[in-house]
Amino acid sequence: MVAVWVLLLAAACLTTIGTVMLAEAFRSRLTETEIALDTLPVPFDGYRILLVTDIHRRSLPHKLLSGLKGKVDVVLVGGDMTEKNCPLQRLRANMALLASIGPVYAVHGNHDYMAGIGEVDRILEHSGVRLLADENIPLTTEGAQLWLTGVDYPRTGGKVAYAPLPDLPPGKEKECRIILVHDPMWLLKRETVPADLVLSGHTHGGQVVLPYIGRRHVEAFYHIYSAGMFLWPKGDGTGKKAKLLISRGFGTAHLPLRWNSPAELNMLTLRRPGSLEMTALD
């Protein structure tokens, strides 16, 4: 009899844990972060970026995102927009929703290639999403500009050398720059990081972060650089550091389960350092 009760209790615990993990995997949370950049042009103070990474098989939340129309300056998609055997109509719907909010720029992730990159790219183009494959583009507001660089994920995998980072136009090298890259471990392949802000995903924040055991990642890099905000040396001799934000992402890899790493979309507000202090005081 005791053994039966123990089994029933264990089954109940597993069911509860499974329910919580499933719920965390399908949450639609918007994480808001203010980021101060020293070189940010004054007109960009308060500039808002919606960062969406690692959608995989999920459908983006229409009610939540449609409410952001007019409140977002640009949408950045950090790769893994779909995955193998996921209906491409879902990708079309997701990209159309994002394009209805504001201008959208995207980079590839590893799962995008496995889903059939030719068709993925056609859907992006038809949806009005601008794919950045090792390219720089200027973002402008009120006559000022900052630079966005999209780093393409290597077709043969991230352990193979990435393409060279494209140079900014002559005379623009010291202007504010944001780099969008799917996998933050790209940083290990760089001697210098000529940027003020690096935005990435790929890690899912570990997806399942167990007590004592920690994150499931094999690579030691991800045990530290898993999710959240970090500083990374620019390596240019100035001693300055770039800011690095790693999103937990919206979808999941393999099983639709999360633990201690809930799904998220990221709303980023760029600030001049002085204005961020004023916001904190207010």
Side-chain angles (χ1 to χ4, degrees):
M1 182 62 71
V2 173
V4 172
W5 280 107
V6 169
L7 289 174
L8 289 174
L9 181 61
C13 289
L14 288 174
T15 300
T16 301
I17 292 171
T19 301
V20 172
M21 293 175 75
L22 194 63
E24 283 206 354
F26 285 96
R27 285 179 64 181
S28 295
R29 183 178 71 160
L30 188 65
T31 302
E32 298 194 36
T33 307
E34 291 193 327
I35 304 175
L37 302 176
D38 291 338
T39 61
L40 188 71
V42 173
F44 278 92
D45 185 55
Y47 193 83
R48 305 191 83 191
I49 299 170
L50 177 64
L51 175 65
V52 181
T53 75
D54 303 279
I55 303 170
H56 288 273
R57 302 187 67 85
R58 291 192 67 184
S59 293
L60 292 172
H62 189 277
K63 184 177 180 180
L64 173 63
L65 293 181
S66 60
L68 298 179
K69 292 180 182 179
K71 301 176 182 178
V72 171
D73 294 289
V74 69
V75 180
L76 303 183
V77 184
D80 282 3
M81 296 163 273
T82 186
E83 64 178 39
K84 187 177 180 181
N85 298 325
C86 180
L88 289 174
Q89 180 55 37
R90 192 169 303 163
L91 174 64
R92 291 189 187 94
N94 284 336
M95 294 302 106
L97 175 57
L98 293 179
S100 73
I101 299 171
V104 185
Y105 300 93
V107 295
H108 290 137
N110 50 305
H111 282 275
D112 298 319
Y113 285 104
M114 291 184 278
I117 201 64
E119 187 59 29
V120 168
D121 287 355
R122 280 189 288 273
I123 290 172
L124 296 183
E125 182 179 1
H126 293 159
S127 301
V129 176
R130 171 71 185 279
L131 179 68
L132 297 178
D134 302 311
E135 298 175 70
N136 302 312
I137 60 156
L139 301 178
T140 60
T141 186
E142 297 181 25
Q145 71 177 24
L146 61 76
W147 291 90
L148 173 65
T149 302
V151 175
D152 196 29
Y153 192 89
R155 291 175 180 265
T156 51
K159 293 186 182 297
V160 178
Y162 284 77
L165 190 70
D167 294 327
L168 294 182
K172 305 293 185 180
E173 295 86 354
K174 294 184 179 181
E175 292 188 358
C176 189
R177 185 188 207 181
I178 297 172
I179 292 178
L180 179 66
V181 58
H182 177 62
D183 185 353
M185 202 159 68
W186 166 82
L187 290 163
L188 291 182
K189 303 179 183 300
R190 296 286 312 174
E191 293 183 2
T192 61
V193 181
D196 300 275
L197 176 63
V198 179
L199 302 176
S200 64
H202 185 63
T203 68
H204 299 192
Q207 191 166 313
V208 176
V209 184
L210 299 173
Y212 305 110
I213 297 176
R215 294 168 174 80
R216 63 180 175 82
H217 295 305
V218 175
E219 300 282 356
F221 173 89
Y222 300 126
H223 292 185
I224 299 173
Y225 299 97
S226 183
M229 186 72 73
F230 304 90
L231 295 175
W232 191 272
K234 289 189 175 185
D236 58 0
T238 64
K240 294 182 179 180
K241 296 183 179 181
K243 292 187 175 178
L244 164 66
L245 186 135
I246 305 173
S247 174
R248 289 184 174 88
F250 191 68
T252 56
H254 309 300
L255 295 176
L257 300 172
R258 283 180 178 265
W259 182 266
N260 201 27
S261 182
E264 67 179 359
L265 303 166
N266 300 86
M267 178 67 78
L268 313 177
T269 303
L270 303 185
R271 293 291 187 188
R272 298 274 298 174
S275 67
L276 185 56
E277 292 170 6
M278 291 296 292
T279 301
L281 289 173
D282 292 342

